[in-house]
Amino acid sequence: MKDCPHLPGLPQPEPEAQSETCLECLAVGSHPVQLRKCLVCGRVSCCDSSPYRHATAHFDATGHAVMRSFEPGEDWRWCYVDNSLV
């Protein structure tokens, strides 16, 4: 993990999850492989192993750089801009 210039700008406390699953996957009848939560707004989306890659699409649409795993027992974070664990 490395220092990330996007971490200091994140809301504190961390935003609440907007849902318990990827609502976009549900809307199209797909099953999310793993979930990610945006640490800027709390949106829950599927990872890049899912067919629709909604978490990456959320970053592309919003520029919200940092997300974390939304899987039980996991707390790692990823910065899309720096392309690294943070």
Side-chain angles (χ1 to χ4, degrees):
M1 291 190 214
K2 68 176 200 170
D3 290 332
C4 171
H6 305 97
L7 295 178
L10 294 175
Q12 294 297 326
E14 182 177 302
E16 292 293 321
Q18 293 180 4
S19 63
E20 291 299 316
T21 191
C22 180
L23 298 178
E24 291 139 316
C25 279
L26 289 180
V28 297
S30 183
H31 178 74
V33 175
Q34 295 224 336
L35 297 173
R36 310 293 182 239
K37 182 174 94 166
C38 175
L39 292 180
V40 175
C41 69
R43 181 184 201 114
V44 175
S45 304
C46 62
C47 76
D48 285 357
S49 295
S50 294
Y52 294 98
R53 304 174 52 172
H54 289 122
T56 297
H58 177 69
F59 162 68
D60 291 340
T62 64
H64 294 173
V66 184
M67 66 84 186
R68 76 164 174 84
S69 174
F70 196 58
E71 293 297 313
E74 295 183 4
D75 64 357
W76 56 269
R77 300 176 296 180
W78 178 261
C79 178
Y80 286 100
V81 175
D82 295 328
N83 200 35
S84 66
L85 290 170
V86 294

